[in-house]
Amino acid sequence: MTIQDIFLRAHTVTTSKSERKHKKRKPSTWPEQVLVFDTETTTDTEQDLLFGVYRLCERNGDEYLCLEEGLFHADDLDADQLEVLKRYARSEIAGSEINAFPPKLKLALYSRSMFLKKVFWKAIQRGALIVAFNAPFDLSRLAVAWGRAFDGGWSLTLSQWLNPETGQLQENTYFPRIVIKSLNSKNAFISLRFPRPQERKWPTGRFLDLRTLGWALHNRSYSLKKACKKFNATEQKKKHTPSGRVTNDDIDYACQDVKCTTALLNAMKREF
């Protein structure tokens, strides 16, 4: 058999700027930032928001490290309980694990509405992953109104504005709603939904419920305590019975829960 060379004529096609601009990039499975949060509620049947804790984390190698830590509280929290949070924020040092200038040593403290404006929505716009353990519950504690979504599930309103003409709070339609559609007791679809056409581009929103991820990895339903033990997380849950009030013990407990959730995220990420 005689071997012969084959010559082919080819040319490259250069895409236009508009084509390159609109070409969608596949998002990374693990984005550069995650926002981990947890809420504490009243202990009655209403389970209204009292306060919450969050950690904004950045990816550093194979794990997420805390960049900023803070607290947030119900917009209508009474003065006595709010003072407990203020004293705690002044006395405790934030658990920042990433060098930054200036260093973020103080615990941030926001009302619920300001936490959404300054932290939550900005994280979503940057493409951060929103992480919680039993996320549908914690997301619902941030809501001020809710209704049925047109295709099933619940549509949560998180942001409002004060109408100067009526003096009434009403939905701020420049911010999305969060729609939660439960498939069963362990899985739910969580997405953003916009009540009006948007002038600015919003990402689709990325949410991760570690309770669901634990089920996907091990085919078992875990509590946060059991999941941290099973996945050998570097933080473990504290033993505490919530009081239904804002106390130093309750804040310590909530802060540890968010540390556990972050450590569990890293442990699950290694197994994923």
Side-chain angles (χ1 to χ4, degrees):
M1 180 180 292
T2 303
I3 298 177
Q4 296 181 340
D5 293 331
I6 298 177
F7 297 91
L8 300 175
R9 179 177 295 177
H11 68 280
T12 59
V13 177
T14 304
T15 58
S16 66
K17 289 185 178 179
S18 61
E19 288 175 326
R20 291 195 297 269
K21 183 177 180 181
H22 292 94
K23 186 177 180 180
K24 292 184 178 180
R25 292 183 178 180
K26 185 179 179 181
S28 170
T29 302
W30 301 104
E32 289 302 311
Q33 286 192 340
V34 298
L35 177 63
V36 183
F37 81 103
D38 185 36
T39 60
E40 296 299 321
T41 69
T42 58
T43 53
D44 57 14
T45 56
E46 297 295 324
Q47 293 185 292
D48 291 324
L49 174 69
L50 283 173
F51 70 96
V53 181
Y54 75 89
R55 281 191 153 207
L56 182 63
C57 303
E58 283 191 354
R59 194 172 65 185
N60 188 295
D62 293 331
E63 62 181 353
Y64 287 103
L65 299 180
C66 180
L67 175 66
E68 176 186 327
E69 185 179 20
L71 311 170
F72 58 92
H73 60 83
D75 291 329
D76 58 354
L77 189 68
D78 67 69
D80 290 341
Q81 294 188 91
L82 179 56
E83 184 59 32
V84 175
L85 282 169
K86 287 181 177 179
R87 287 199 302 267
Y88 191 96
R90 288 194 298 264
S91 63
E92 297 294 325
I93 297 176
S96 178
E97 300 165 318
I98 293 179
N99 293 330
F101 186 82
K104 297 181 179 180
L105 300 178
K106 291 185 177 181
L107 280 172
L109 178 60
Y110 298 106
S111 65
R112 182 205 64 88
S113 54
M114 289 306 293
F115 165 69
L116 290 169
K117 182 178 180 180
K118 297 289 188 180
V119 181
F120 188 86
W121 294 130
K122 287 184 176 181
I124 287 179
Q125 287 179 321
R126 290 194 301 269
L129 184 66
I130 309 301
V131 179
F133 194 93
N134 194 13
F137 176 81
D138 287 305
L139 288 169
S140 69
R141 297 311 90 187
L142 299 177
V144 291
W146 51 87
R148 297 292 296 182
F150 71 87
D151 55 352
W154 293 98
S155 180
L156 308 180
T157 299
L158 275 65
S159 294
Q160 295 178 315
W161 69 292
L162 182 64
N163 188 326
E165 295 182 359
T166 64
Q168 300 294 317
L169 286 171
Q170 61 187 61
E171 180 179 6
N172 187 337
T173 56
Y174 286 99
F175 291 93
R177 298 175 185 174
I178 291 179
V179 173
I180 302 174
K181 186 175 182 179
S182 295
L183 301 179
N184 50 49
S185 62
K186 304 173 185 67
N187 303 303
F189 288 127
I190 305 174
S191 61
L192 300 183
R193 187 77 49 86
F194 296 91
R196 59 175 288 170
Q198 295 299 301
E199 296 178 358
R200 56 180 174 176
K201 184 71 175 177
W202 279 78
T204 56
R206 303 181 68 182
F207 300 88
L208 176 61
D209 185 353
L210 295 186
R211 183 169 178 264
T212 299
L213 183 56
W215 172 263
L217 292 173
H218 288 185
N219 198 31
R220 289 191 61 184
S221 180
Y222 294 110
S223 65
L224 179 57
K225 180 179 180 179
K226 289 183 178 179
C228 286
K229 289 183 177 180
K230 187 65 178 179
F231 286 88
N232 296 315
T234 56
E235 297 283 347
Q236 297 296 315
K237 189 174 172 69
K238 288 181 65 175
K239 186 176 181 181
H240 174 73
T241 301
S243 67
R245 299 277 298 174
V246 179
T247 68
N248 284 343
D249 286 343
D250 284 278
I251 303 172
D252 283 340
Y253 170 73
C255 288
Q256 182 61 23
D257 264 12
V258 175
K259 287 181 182 179
C260 288
T261 307
T262 307
L264 180 60
L265 169 65
N266 286 325
M268 287 183 166
K269 180 177 177 292
R270 287 190 291 270
E271 187 169 322
F272 181 77

